[in-house]
Amino acid sequence: MKNKKMNKNYLSAGVAAVLGGAMMFASPVAADSLPINYDDLSFVEEPLALDVGVGTLSFSALADQAVTHEFNGNETTTYDTVAKAQFDFETELPNSMTLAMQYVGTFTRLADDEITETYALSIADSWGTIAVGEVAGLVKERTRRGRGVGNASLANDDFLGGLEAESAFYGVRVNSFQASLAVDRDGQGAIGLSFEQPVSQGSVFTAVRLQKGDTNDGTTSGGKGDSYGGVIVGGYSYGSFSIDGQIGYERIDLEASGNDNNNTFASVGAKYKYGVYSVSLDLGGGVTDGDTRHAASLGFRADMFRGASFNAGLNHSNAFGSRSTKVKGSIRYEF
């Protein structure tokens, strides 16, 4: 753990040095950040932006006060406060490349007042975008199903294995296609290809993602070992309505026994927005080494005035011998 913190400090210092040097010969450019905010509490409002002479600095902030009641035999009620801030700085270099630095910080009161941080440094031109930092999740963000609204959060809807957070990333868009690649410092990686295009009065989205990781970076529920998996995603949207689904398979080579665990999973979801109200419904299920699991999530959001909203979610899961049903409501303000 100590070495990881030291490596992160060195990388942060390198990011600052490169950014500082670029500021000396840069010109302003509009901000267009990478999606490095990976959790379910995402920003909806457009960020505030201002010119700082050598580029554009944009800022988003969010505060969420929530109450959660869990029905699990011994019923419990918890109160949590989450505050999130995202900073993005972008500038255009003399060779027309775009240099960007991003930072997302999240404070969670129930997690011992912990502040988690995500950061990335990227450079982009017509040939694509190269990024370093905590960018392992970018391939998933570009090939995933849409999130539920409000406080909806569907459980067990991905691979059990994962990558190291600190990684290198490359992405490129060609017409309606977008390709992405991430590789971590252990040589593990993920690759994705997505396609999105208007069809008549709607829009279709399809994607495929392949990943080689390990369960030390994901979850140990399937046992520790190397993970190999693939997922196919498809979706359709028409006006305020959207529907999507995915199906995936993963093989885990267990270290202790030398045997394999097979993990299959699938999910579907739909969202609809009517005026200031938004609702979503997601259903998921899977089988891991003969253990069947399922999950369901119902979300609701009501926009009260600009930046303020009431959010609710009903989330149920039954997996790996644990059953949980939670109702969560919160008042959220973002700008």
Side-chain angles (χ1 to χ4, degrees), residues 307-319:
S309 62
F310 170 75
N311 299 267
L314 172 61
N315 301 301
H316 171 78
S317 69
N318 187 351

Side-chain angles (χ1 to χ4, degrees), residues 114-198:
E114 180 184 12
I115 296 178
T116 59
E117 300 172 303
T118 308
Y119 61 92
L121 174 68
S122 65
I123 189 164
D125 65 4
S126 59
W127 293 96
T129 300
I130 297 175
V132 294
E134 297 189 358
V135 295
L138 285 178
V139 176
K140 178 183 176 181
E141 290 301 311
R142 295 189 171 194
T143 57
R144 62 170 295 152
R145 288 184 51 239
R147 290 183 172 88
V149 303
N151 288 318
S153 181
L154 188 67
N156 305 310
D157 193 30
D158 199 6
F159 302 121
L160 298 178
L163 308 181
E164 290 281 352
E166 294 179 352
S167 306
F169 168 84
Y170 173 72
V172 62
R173 177 183 292 276
V174 180
N175 297 324
S176 298
F177 294 90
Q178 186 170 228
S180 305
L181 170 68
V183 179
D184 69 14
R185 59 188 179 183
D186 293 333
Q188 303 170 137
I191 185 170
L193 178 66
S194 64
F195 172 83
E196 186 172 14
Q197 181 170 299

Side-chain angles (χ1 to χ4, degrees), residues 16-309:
V18 172
L19 183 61
M23 285 182 176
M24 299 177 62
F25 51 91
S27 59
V29 65
D32 183 21
S33 62
L34 294 171
I36 63 170
N37 177 32
Y38 303 125
D39 63 31
D40 291 322
L41 197 60
S42 57
F43 296 102
V44 175
E45 297 291 328
E46 289 294 322
L48 302 175
L50 69 155
D51 291 331
V52 292
V54 295
T56 300
L57 178 68
S58 59
F59 170 72
S60 297
L62 178 153
D64 186 87
Q65 179 60 53
V67 55
T68 302
H69 186 78
E70 182 171 3
F71 304 87
N72 58 352
N74 297 321
E75 297 189 9
T76 58
T77 301
T78 56
Y79 302 86
D80 195 14
T81 302
V82 176
K84 182 184 293 287
Q86 177 168 338
F87 295 88
D88 301 90
F89 176 81
E90 291 197 358
T91 187
E92 187 173 313
L93 305 179
N95 58 5
S96 298
M97 288 185 174
T98 299
L99 180 69
M101 182 177 183
Q102 297 167 240
Y103 170 86
V104 178
T106 303
F107 166 84
T108 306
R109 187 184 66 82
L110 285 182
D112 296 325
D113 295 337
E114 180 184 12
I115 296 178
T116 59
E117 300 172 303
T118 308
Y119 61 92
L121 174 68
S122 65
I123 189 164
D125 65 4
S126 59
W127 293 96
T129 300
I130 297 175
V132 294
E134 297 189 358
V135 295
L138 285 178
V139 176
K140 178 183 176 181
E141 290 301 311
R142 295 189 171 194
T143 57
R144 62 170 295 152
R145 288 184 51 239
R147 290 183 172 88
V149 303
N151 288 318
S153 181
L154 188 67
N156 305 310
D157 193 30
D158 199 6
F159 302 121
L160 298 178
L163 308 181
E164 290 281 352
E166 294 179 352
S167 306
F169 168 84
Y170 173 72
V172 62
R173 177 183 292 276
V174 180
N175 297 324
S176 298
F177 294 90
Q178 186 170 228
S180 305
L181 170 68
V183 179
D184 69 14
R185 59 188 179 183
D186 293 333
Q188 303 170 137
I191 185 170
L193 178 66
S194 64
F195 172 83
E196 186 172 14
Q197 181 170 299
V199 175
S200 185
Q201 298 181 13
S203 176
V204 296
F205 174 81
T206 59
V208 60
R209 183 171 80 253
L210 303 175
Q211 177 180 289
K212 191 277 179 184
D214 64 63
T215 52
N216 296 323
D217 300 315
T219 174
T220 59
S221 299
K224 293 185 179 181
D226 292 328
S227 160
Y228 306 85
V231 62
I232 299 174
V233 180
Y236 176 77
S237 62
Y238 180 87
S240 298
F241 173 79
S242 66
I243 185 170
D244 55 22
Q246 75 171 8
I247 183 168
Y249 169 79
E250 178 184 24
R251 191 191 81 213
I252 302 171
D253 294 339
L254 299 177
E255 294 179 357
S257 63
N259 297 325
D260 295 342
N261 267 356
N262 295 311
N263 172 38
T264 59
F265 56 94
S267 61
V268 294
K271 292 193 287 290
Y272 181 70
K273 181 175 175 62
Y274 179 77
V276 298
Y277 305 104
S278 301
V279 294
S280 68
L281 174 64
D282 296 278
L283 302 173
V287 179
T288 302
D289 194 30
D291 182 12
T292 301
R293 63 183 191 276
H294 62 264
S297 179
L298 178 64
F300 173 79
R301 175 184 172 107
D303 297 311
M304 298 184 293
F305 54 87
R306 182 173 178 82
S309 62

